Amino acid sequence: MFVHTETNNKAEAIKGWLANHRSFETQGSLAKRFGKSATFVNLSLNKRMTTKGAETLVTEIYEYLYEKYGL
């Protein structure tokens, strides 16, 4: 789990959104968009990797999905 509760909530929101909108984005497409590996995206969203970089990635993905799709 991330240190900041807000980041944990964002990760859960992203996972829920991705589960219902696979035709728009996937973890793989997000990995390509942000220049990260699919494994890193997966570990970050599932809160298995809780480094500062993972926390930043979750925040960036959340902001992207919010701006583009109205998450």
Side-chain angles (χ1 to χ4, degrees):
M1 301 216 23
F2 292 105
V3 174
H4 299 100
T5 307
E6 181 178 304
T7 307
N8 292 315
N9 294 340
K10 287 179 181 178
E12 290 299 322
I14 293 167
K15 289 188 330 184
W17 188 89
L18 288 174
N20 293 314
H21 299 89
R22 291 180 192 254
S23 60
F24 296 118
E25 296 284 350
T26 63
Q27 287 184 5
S29 68
L30 291 172
K32 283 183 182 179
R33 178 170 305 281
F34 290 96
K36 306 292 183 190
S37 71
T39 302
F40 183 69
V41 171
N42 181 282
L43 291 173
S44 298
L45 292 178
N46 288 307
K47 299 175 269 184
R48 303 269 183 207
M49 181 173 293
T50 59
T51 62
K52 180 67 175 165
E55 193 167 350
T56 301
L57 177 64
V58 169
T59 300
E60 288 174 353
I61 290 173
Y62 184 86
E63 289 172 359
Y64 165 73
L65 293 176
Y66 183 81
E67 289 176 17
K68 186 162 185 179
Y69 300 108
L71 176 80

